[in-house]
Amino acid sequence: MLVFSKARLVILSVPKTGTTAIESALGPRADIWVQNPPELKHAPVFRYNRFFRPMLEKFVAPDLEVIAVMREPVSWLGSWWRYRQRAELDGRANSTAGMGFDAFVDAYCRGERPAFADVGSQSKFLEPAGNGTRVTRLFRYEDQGALLDFLEQRLGTGIALGRENVSPAMEVRLSPEVEGKYRRKCAAEFDLYASIP
């Protein structure tokens, strides 16, 4: 998570949406750069609302703009599946080594997800808090140009993004049956993504 007090801007860090590269590029310029622990670095809206918003509204400004990035849902799960194929996870409960993408997504669609498929939810991460605190501007991961144009204009600086925290290159393809199941069981993910202008 990044906070820019002069620009009155907060960038929430949705996992697997390229925010590590944004943080690396902009972190040194931010007034607050939350890097660890992961539960705070990747604070969802409800956690931002509970722990960060009161402090920021008191000491920075009451009208902060909160932005975030969302990735197309199949691509997002594909990134998690590929990321958990890394050799350093071999033998661990969260490894997807030797597992096909269909099996991973099928496990994700269960009521109780096994450790390897327990990766959260973008729509839950971005869900508005009960008091109305919400992401005020949402960008598509697939439209980096719109995000960078917004940030460069808002922060008054050029931004060059590197590639960081990149998942291993693998083909990400779902069978029609599993994709249909994912779309039915996790419709909120697809609905939210489709609502982004």
Side-chain angles (χ1 to χ4, degrees):
M1 183 173 66
L2 297 173
V3 178
F4 299 88
S5 55
K6 192 181 213 181
R8 295 184 172 182
L9 181 67
V10 176
I11 304 174
L12 297 184
S13 181
V14 181
K16 307 309 293 171
T17 62
T19 49
T20 299
I22 291 168
E23 290 177 353
S24 291
L26 296 177
R29 297 179 184 150
D31 297 299
I32 300 173
W33 181 7
V34 182
Q35 299 178 69
N36 278 301
E39 294 80 11
L40 294 181
K41 173 185 176 178
H42 297 294
V45 171
F46 81 87
R47 194 168 293 136
Y48 165 78
N49 177 59
R50 183 172 177 193
F51 297 106
F52 293 99
R53 182 196 51 77
M55 171 189 67
L56 294 174
E57 286 186 355
K58 181 172 183 175
F59 295 108
V60 177
D63 56 349
L64 292 166
E65 185 162 17
V66 179
I67 71 166
V69 177
M70 182 179 187
R71 191 170 184 158
E72 190 281 323
V74 174
S75 174
W76 184 72
L77 279 188
S79 185
W80 273 113
W81 168 68
R82 291 182 295 120
Y83 187 68
R84 291 188 164 187
Q85 296 266 334
R86 300 181 337 269
E88 57 263 32
L89 295 181
D90 284 354
R92 294 189 186 176
N94 62 347
S95 173
T96 57
M99 177 183 299
F101 188 42
D102 270 358
F104 176 75
V105 175
D106 189 61
Y108 182 81
C109 290
R110 293 183 201 159
E112 281 197 37
R113 296 175 180 146
F116 64 82
D118 191 13
V119 297
S121 157
Q122 291 182 101
S123 64
K124 277 294 189 193
F125 185 106
L126 298 164
E127 186 175 64
N131 65 354
T133 298
R134 63 183 179 85
V135 169
T136 52
R137 190 179 300 233
L138 190 56
F139 293 89
R140 291 176 188 252
Y141 168 85
E142 293 75 13
D143 187 4
Q144 293 288 309
L147 172 64
L148 292 176
D149 287 348
F150 170 83
L151 290 173
E152 287 179 344
Q153 182 176 16
R154 187 67 172 265
L155 300 174
T157 186
I159 302 169
L161 294 183
R163 288 181 48 92
E164 298 199 29
N165 207 22
V166 179
S167 301
M170 300 173 73
E171 184 179 17
V172 175
R173 181 177 299 172
L174 280 177
S175 68
E177 295 79 19
V178 174
E179 182 170 350
K181 181 178 183 179
Y182 179 32
R183 287 180 177 276
R184 281 190 315 277
K185 296 243 179 197
C186 302
E189 305 294 318
F190 293 92
D191 291 345
L192 180 57
Y193 185 78
S195 75
I196 304 172

